[in-house]
């Protein structure tokens, strides 16, 4: 850590990701005997829940954005379009040195707005989602061993507070990698938004016969439990990439269908061999 | 159980399914203090493995098919095309009363051959596969709570030995349901063969970015570890149904792609709501 350490954080959006971050950071600081103050904001909290959330890593539940001027780091942890709205709302309370990061699943749209508003902003995407939601499902180990995308220009990435933020993510076991926003959205249309759509589509396509399903379909179906509330924002902010990826994958399936119909088993065998190899790679990575 | 109890079984094919059946039946009979004799056949076994396999629920490793005349039940537990070849080979050793069942993933092709050979045959498909293979991965609880398809004509299903066989499957916790072979192959093209192809296709489509994958893609990818040896038979014996299902699902994805590109979020939200409901149904079933 540098001299300009991050000691006070505000998290806006207290769902699975926001509260898991709070719990993970508090636990890591406590283990090192360091002090950290985290305040949390969430418009959707009823009064009775405001007390309970204080057991989830927060030092204070807050509703007045003017206190944001006092913190080192602001984390936007709601769905992306809500994060964009919040960013516009809080801009006037931020000091020029305040670092703002988000935890949304798409990066180009929010980074465009941050640039327009001239906010000191780092786009982040922790690859640690779940079909489960809400602070009750939060977990301080959610980020351990998980990749986390970091989007920012090179100049910013050299600044002390940004380095401190990356160190904060490493402190809780996450594995940051730097990527530009456009590439991020292209890649995640493939490795995240496509699996979600496949899961939803296949469970609906097989609706009549779910009582006969084995573990294969069951694993495939897990993501179909995901909330539209989160995904509507992802589709709205990564529309073209997702449409392109779905169309290309649809073509791939049509081509496999043609091969099977024609009895062209060499092509299918090749697809299986590659599948086996890629599965091994994926397993090696997750078992590290 | 009826008077005509099944007390001797031969299992031809000692992979995951065959050895799991042997272990499950032995454990169930032992628990009830009943006697059972299981012999196993497998051409692919080296001499050194023939000893080890005797720890996996078998009373004897056998290679001479003439002993099949002495057993109540023969189970074909290799991939479907090998089962078909075996059925033709063993026909002349079977007594007319011997019941033969298979455990293959497609049913129409093998049942056509059984009819042609005039063998007393029940088609079975335990929905208990895995991407893992081999007797070393066998598990006596593999069938507990799992559906198992039973294909046979009504007349046969009323016979004592066939009822005994269904009871044998219930004894190890499986949940038999009766379905005709054509419907079986249509249904499983959707709920089993489609998920397999999606898993293989997506892991290949995302090959370059697997290092950034989250748990969503990881769950989706599990089936891509499956062996071509098993699947080549499934594709060869359910060719048209699988080609049709893949083409139809490809169309569904193309249509979702069009909706996303056009910003038609009502249609996508509807798809998500149905997905959520179907996911709940699936979870309820598997948690029973």
């Amino acid at each position: 850590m540098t001299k300009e350490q991050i000691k006070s954080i505000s998290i806006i959006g207290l769902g699975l990701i926001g509260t898991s971050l709070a719990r993970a950071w508090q636990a890591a600081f406590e283990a090192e005997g360091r002090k950290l103050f985290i305040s949390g904001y969430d418009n959707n909290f009823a009064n009775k829940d405001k007390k309970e959330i204080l057991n989830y890593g927060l030092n204070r539940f807050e509703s007045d954005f003017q206190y944001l001027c006092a913190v080192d780091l602001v984390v936007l942890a709601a769905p992306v379009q809500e994060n964009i709205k919040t960013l516009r709302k809080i801009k006037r309370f931020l000091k020029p040195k305040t670092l703002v990061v988000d935890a949304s699943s798409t990066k180009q749209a929010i980074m465009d707005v941050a640039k327009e508003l001239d906010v000191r902003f780092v786009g982040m995407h922790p690859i640690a989602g779940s079909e489960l939601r809400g602070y009750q499902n939060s977990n301080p180990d959610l980020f351990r061993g998980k990749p986390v995308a970091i989007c920012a220009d090179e100049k910013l990435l050299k600044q002390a507070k940004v380095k401190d933020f990356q160190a904060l993510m490493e402190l809780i076991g996450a594995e940051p990698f730097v990527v530009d926003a456009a590439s991020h959205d292209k890649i995640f249309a493939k490795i995240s938004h496509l699996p979600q759509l496949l899961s939803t589509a296949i469970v609906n396509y097989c609706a009549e016969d779910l009582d006969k399903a084995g573990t294969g379909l069951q694993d495939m179906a897990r993501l179909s439990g995901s909330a539209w509330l989160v995904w509507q924002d992802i589709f709205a902010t990564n529309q073209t990439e997702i449409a392109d990826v779905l169309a290309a994958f649809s073509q791939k399936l049509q081509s496999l269908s043609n091969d099977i119909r024609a009895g062209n088993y060499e092509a299918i065998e090749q697809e299986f061999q590659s599948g086996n190899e890629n599965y091994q790679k994926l397993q090696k990575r997750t078992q590290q």
Side-chain angles (χ1 to χ4, degrees), chain A:
Chain A
M1 288 267 161
T2 60
K3 271 184 259 170
E4 201 184 352
Q5 288 188 347
I6 292 170
K7 288 174 194 154
S8 59
I9 301 174
S10 281
I11 300 176
I12 308 180
L14 300 172
L16 177 78
I17 297 289
T19 24
S20 293
L21 279 172
R23 293 176 69 181
W25 281 331
Q26 292 286 13
F29 271 65
E30 202 181 307
E32 295 191 355
R34 289 159 62 196
K35 278 198 172 176
L36 175 70
F37 188 89
I38 304 186
S39 52
Y41 291 75
D42 199 316
N43 274 337
N44 297 316
F45 268 60
N47 274 327
K48 62 175 182 58
D49 295 331
K50 287 179 189 172
K51 270 188 194 163
E52 207 193 324
I53 187 72
L54 293 177
N55 300 319
Y56 286 82
L58 298 188
N59 299 97
R60 191 158 63 205
F61 187 91
E62 195 59 82
S63 51
D64 192 336
F65 283 147
Q66 74 176 341
Y67 297 116
L68 291 177
C69 67
V71 301
D72 302 316
L73 175 68
V74 176
V75 181
L76 305 173
V80 62
Q81 296 200 107
E82 200 178 319
N83 285 342
I84 289 174
K85 270 186 216 158
T86 305
L87 189 57
R88 291 191 187 279
K89 256 188 234 166
I90 64 174
K91 157 70 184 170
R92 66 194 183 98
F93 302 109
L94 302 171
K95 284 193 181 158
K97 279 207 139 188
T98 311
L99 179 66
V100 182
V101 307
D102 76 323
S104 333
S105 305
T106 63
K107 300 267 65 87
Q108 186 74 67
I110 195 163
M111 293 195 70
D112 287 348
V113 174
K115 197 173 181 183
E116 170 206 325
L117 296 174
D118 195 24
V119 173
R120 196 139 156 270
F121 188 88
V122 170
M124 166 174 84
H125 177 198
I127 319 307
S130 170
E131 82 281 13
L132 301 173
R133 296 177 58 219
Y135 67 89
Q136 301 90 338
N137 288 305
S138 65
N139 168 9
D141 287 321
L142 191 66
F143 308 97
R144 200 159 296 283
K146 302 290 167 60
V148 53
I150 302 285
C151 303
D153 60 41
E154 279 191 38
K155 209 180 109 196
L156 198 62
L157 289 172
K158 284 177 186 154
Q159 289 180 12
K161 203 173 276 176
V162 177
K163 280 189 193 165
D164 278 354
F165 164 69
Q166 289 180 267
L168 271 188
M169 292 308 294
E170 282 164 3
L171 196 64
I172 59 176
E175 297 169 6
F177 65 94
V178 176
V179 62
D180 67 281
S183 302
H184 172 279
D185 289 359
K186 216 185 198 50
I187 292 168
F188 283 86
K190 285 166 67 176
I191 66 174
S192 168
H193 313 159
L194 176 63
Q196 173 62 52
L197 282 159
L198 289 185
S199 182
T200 297
I202 197 172
V203 86
N204 292 336
Y205 184 70
C206 296
E208 280 177 30
D209 300 299
L210 294 176
D211 57 325
K212 304 175 189 74
T215 52
L217 183 59
Q218 281 163 31
D219 283 5
M220 285 263 161
R222 185 178 62 81
L223 291 175
S224 68
S226 301
W228 173 245
L229 187 69
V230 175
W231 281 90
Q232 63 181 352
D233 275 28
I234 294 176
F235 296 133
T237 53
N238 203 22
Q239 201 170 355
T240 308
E241 294 298 351
I242 296 173
D244 287 351
V245 158
L246 257 185
F249 194 75
S250 159
Q251 276 303 308
K252 187 175 169 74
L253 295 189
Q254 183 59 58
S255 157
L256 284 175
S257 168
N258 297 344
D259 282 333
I260 288 173
R261 202 180 298 277
N264 182 7
Y265 294 119
E266 272 175 44
I268 313 283
E269 180 173 4
Q270 186 49 55
E271 190 75 22
F272 262 71
Q273 302 304 357
S274 302
N276 285 178
E277 285 162 26
N278 285 319
Y279 179 67
Q280 298 302 332
K281 276 186 210 162
L282 196 58
Q283 277 213 312
K284 251 185 218 158
R285 190 184 73 77
T286 52
Q287 282 163 1
Q288 266 168 6

